[in-house]
Amino acid sequence: MQAFYPPRVTRQAKRDPNMAAKLYHNLIGGEWLPSASGQTFQNINPADHSDIVGIFPSSNAEDVALAVAAAKNAFATWRLVPAPKRAEILYRTGELLTQRKEEYAQLMTREMGKVLAETRGDVQEAIDTAFYMAGEGRRLYGQTTPSELQNKFAMSIRMPVGVCAMIAPWNFPMAIPSWKLFPALVSGNTCVIKPAEDTPLSTYNLVQTLIDAGLPAGVVNIVAGFGPEAGAPLVEHPDVRAVSFTGSSAVGSHVGQRAAANFKPVSLEMGGKNAMIVMDDANLDLALEGALWGAFGTTGQRCTATSRILLHKSIAAEFTRKLVARAQALSVGNGLNEGIEVGPQVNEQQIETSTRYCQIAIAEGAKLLTGGQRLIDGPYANGTFFAPTVFGSVTPSMRIAREEVFGPVVALLEFSSFDEAVEIANGIDYGLSTALYTRDINRAFAAIRDLEAGITYINAPTIGAEVHLPFGGVKQTGNGHREGNGAIDFYTTWKAVYIDSSDTLQRAQIDNAE
């Protein structure tokens, strides 16, 4: 499995070694323990590499085994806690997160880079998920149904799966762990989560809040570290009964294969190459605002980022001119500073990816309209910043129009008809989020029907889902499971129950006709 993970990348701080940074440990069975190897890694602010956010354990299979054992032990009692009581802990977690929102947002901006308005939104997503899943504690509904036999009662109930493994990404380091942990917990499961190595602190803050809300020891365990050493053993551990993964399609494919080989259900949320279609009757000013937010919000580091904008030929020149001017005017910098609209990319690897795709686009004939390079001078010298980038003259066959960049890079394509736009939008390997800007209600409903995606927006950009709706995609974006309100289905298994009160042997699936 190791070969399928991306190369191990660590950020090294350029600061006085005498400056102390807080040392964090793994959470195993309610205790904070150092990694078995004793090795650590630094969590570095991508906007200011002199700022060490924290030092975290670099865990291995031994740490994973201890965490899974703790979760398995806790499952014996946690599964017996009534679901409404489990839900009360989630509700208190939501209340505590509300109180700590600004503190956690500030820390998240330091470790991830996105601007404070977005990290506040990230924490708010966890708050919303806590309250929503708390309500599910009284709605873990099964079914009652008539039996085919007399004096026989038939029903179905949801049962917890057991120990669940979670591997979380770095771009929404509190929201996405909450999507995974909260439905698993309210369903009666115990968990081992490996946060992304670029942003572990936000997951630590989320789990600490659960503990402060009354979560028993061992119900959630944290193992920090890198994919080959910690992620792979977690997926393959025999006592892990289900795996939830969010990350790249390449890694997700292998996670899915390894989980399937051991008969484990696996939920995969992976890449996207999301298209926003702008028709000739669209409100262009509204579409322009949506394009800026969709393409450059979170510095383009979202699986739902608007990375393709499909423009009707009649409005393409006007829209392109306005988009380039607005992209050039965006304020790039440290997300903690007032007025900043675009923060840094999370690490050097992401900068290299954005740079490489810009070079590929130019080589294939796309026209660089603005950006296309790393920002290195002045306030950018000690961080990983990339200029907001727009490519024109892009054709559907170009790699910049087909492959996920995960940076502030957007490709503009032109079309002549609605049907052609839908064909271009669908002609890729991904299917997460799509958007259509139009005043034509008939086209809107046709887009809802025909666009191959888990999410379709009308007159809004390709942003994510609200917590009470399903989040996920089709094709190489996912394997059919959903976060949000669909997560309960993944974290529970069905049991059919029959109660026969006839005092006679009644045989189902036998021809009883007289």
Side-chain angles (χ1 to χ4, degrees):
M1 187 168 188
Q2 181 169 345
F4 288 81
Y5 279 90
R8 175 170 168 162
V9 177
T10 59
R11 291 177 286 180
Q12 297 298 322
K14 304 172 183 176
R15 68 176 295 166
D16 184 347
N18 296 317
M19 295 287 288
K22 185 174 180 179
L23 175 64
Y24 294 84
H25 295 313
N26 290 323
L27 177 63
I28 298 177
E31 297 185 57
W32 296 102
L33 303 176
S35 63
S37 67
Q39 296 182 347
T40 60
F41 64 93
Q42 294 178 337
N43 182 10
I44 304 300
N45 183 342
D48 178 6
H49 292 176
S50 68
D51 178 21
I52 303 177
V53 180
I55 299 173
F56 290 83
S58 186
S59 305
N60 58 25
E62 185 176 348
D63 302 296
V64 168
L66 290 172
V68 172
K72 184 178 180 181
N73 182 62
F75 179 67
T77 53
W78 178 246
R79 68 183 181 87
L80 300 178
V81 175
K85 295 298 182 182
R86 299 193 294 255
E88 289 174 6
I89 295 174
L90 294 185
Y91 195 90
R92 288 196 294 272
T93 298
E95 293 180 315
L96 290 174
L97 286 172
T98 301
Q99 298 169 17
R100 301 171 183 180
K101 181 177 178 178
E102 185 63 24
E103 174 193 355
Y104 287 170
Q106 294 270 346
L107 290 169
M108 190 187 302
T109 293
R110 283 179 61 203
E111 73 167 351
M112 190 270 169
K114 59 187 176 183
V115 301
L116 276 172
E118 293 191 55
T119 54
R120 290 174 185 136
D122 200 306
V123 181
Q124 186 62 49
E125 186 87 355
I127 294 167
D128 295 342
T129 303
F131 290 144
Y132 176 71
M133 285 300 166
E136 291 302 291
R138 295 182 183 271
R139 286 195 297 266
L140 292 174
Y141 298 138
Q143 304 152 322
T144 58
T145 183
S147 171
E148 64 192 37
L149 300 174
Q150 292 184 359
N151 299 311
K152 185 178 180 182
F153 180 78
M155 65 179 178
S156 63
I157 58 176
R158 292 182 182 271
M159 304 294 290
V161 174
V163 178
C164 297
M166 287 103 173
I167 299 177
W170 47 262
N171 57 338
F172 288 87
M174 186 170 288
I176 292 179
S178 77
W179 295 357
K180 298 179 184 302
L181 288 170
F182 293 172
L185 293 173
V186 79
S187 299
N189 302 288
T190 55
C191 309
V192 179
I193 186 166
K194 189 199 86 64
E197 54 268 23
D198 284 299
T199 56
L201 181 56
S202 292
T203 297
Y204 274 66
N205 288 337
L206 180 67
V207 174
Q208 182 62 60
T209 306
L210 280 165
I211 294 169
D212 295 342
L215 191 74
V219 175
V220 172
N221 304 270
I222 307 174
V223 177
F226 295 80
E229 296 86 4
L234 183 57
V235 169
E236 298 190 349
H237 195 288
D239 288 332
V240 167
R241 302 297 296 274
V243 178
S244 178
F245 170 86
T246 301
S248 72
S249 295
V251 177
S253 174
H254 193 64
V255 168
Q257 292 176 52
R258 295 308 306 150
N262 293 285
F263 305 103
K264 300 176 186 180
V266 57
S267 174
L268 301 175
E269 284 300 330
M270 301 175 289
K273 191 67 180 176
N274 311 291
M276 185 179 104
I277 301 170
V278 184
M279 296 301 302
D280 52 345
D281 67 337
N283 179 335
L284 291 191
D285 290 335
L286 177 65
L288 179 62
E289 295 299 328
L292 286 165
W293 169 240
F296 304 120
T298 323
T299 321
Q301 298 174 132
R302 289 188 302 221
C303 54
T304 57
T306 303
S307 54
R308 295 182 295 158
I309 302 177
L310 281 52
L311 302 171
H312 191 279
K313 288 183 182 293
S314 65
I315 54 89
E318 178 186 357
F319 188 92
T320 298
R321 182 177 66 256
K322 291 181 176 180
L323 178 64
V324 170
R326 291 289 298 276
Q328 290 171 338
L330 288 171
S331 178
V332 181
N334 190 323
L336 291 172
N337 295 337
E338 192 73 26
I340 295 299
E341 298 168 287
V342 180
Q345 293 210 254
V346 74
N347 59 30
E348 288 289 340
Q349 186 175 358
Q350 295 304 129
I351 289 284
E352 292 167 5
T353 298
S354 295
T355 302
R356 178 166 53 85
Y357 271 102
C358 288
Q359 294 169 345
I360 291 170
I362 293 170
E364 290 186 341
K367 184 178 179 181
L368 178 63
L369 302 178
T370 189
Q373 75 281 330
R374 179 177 188 163
L375 301 175
I376 58 175
D377 296 327
Y380 309 120
N382 203 30
T384 46
F385 295 92
F386 201 87
T389 299
V390 180
F391 278 100
S393 302
V394 177
T395 63
S397 62
M398 291 180 181
R399 291 178 64 184
I400 197 69
R402 306 185 65 83
E403 300 177 15
E404 187 174 42
V405 180
F406 227 65
V409 180
V410 65
L412 307 184
L413 299 87
E414 297 184 15
F415 63 88
S416 300
S417 69
F418 173 75
D419 289 342
E420 182 187 2
V422 171
E423 182 180 0
I424 293 171
N426 290 343
I428 57 168
D429 293 330
Y430 301 105
L432 181 52
S433 190
T434 50
L436 173 70
Y437 280 79
T438 183
R439 292 184 173 95
D440 188 328
I441 189 66
N442 295 333
R443 283 177 179 161
F445 274 94
I448 292 168
R449 179 194 64 198
D450 295 338
L451 289 171
E452 298 172 353
I455 304 168
T456 295
Y457 273 92
I458 305 300
N459 294 324
T462 61
I463 52 180
E466 299 181 28
V467 300
H468 54 286
L469 288 169
F471 179 88
V474 300
K475 298 190 277 191
Q476 290 189 20
T477 290
N479 64 339
H481 294 291
R482 292 292 185 266
E483 312 266 24
N485 75 347
I488 295 293
D489 289 330
F490 178 72
Y491 291 112
T492 57
T493 184
W494 285 108
K495 176 180 282 190
V497 177
Y498 303 95
I499 302 171
D500 193 320
S501 59
S502 67
D503 271 345
T504 62
L505 174 61
Q506 299 193 87
R507 296 177 294 175
Q509 299 175 330
I510 295 293
D511 187 359
N512 294 305
E514 295 181 358

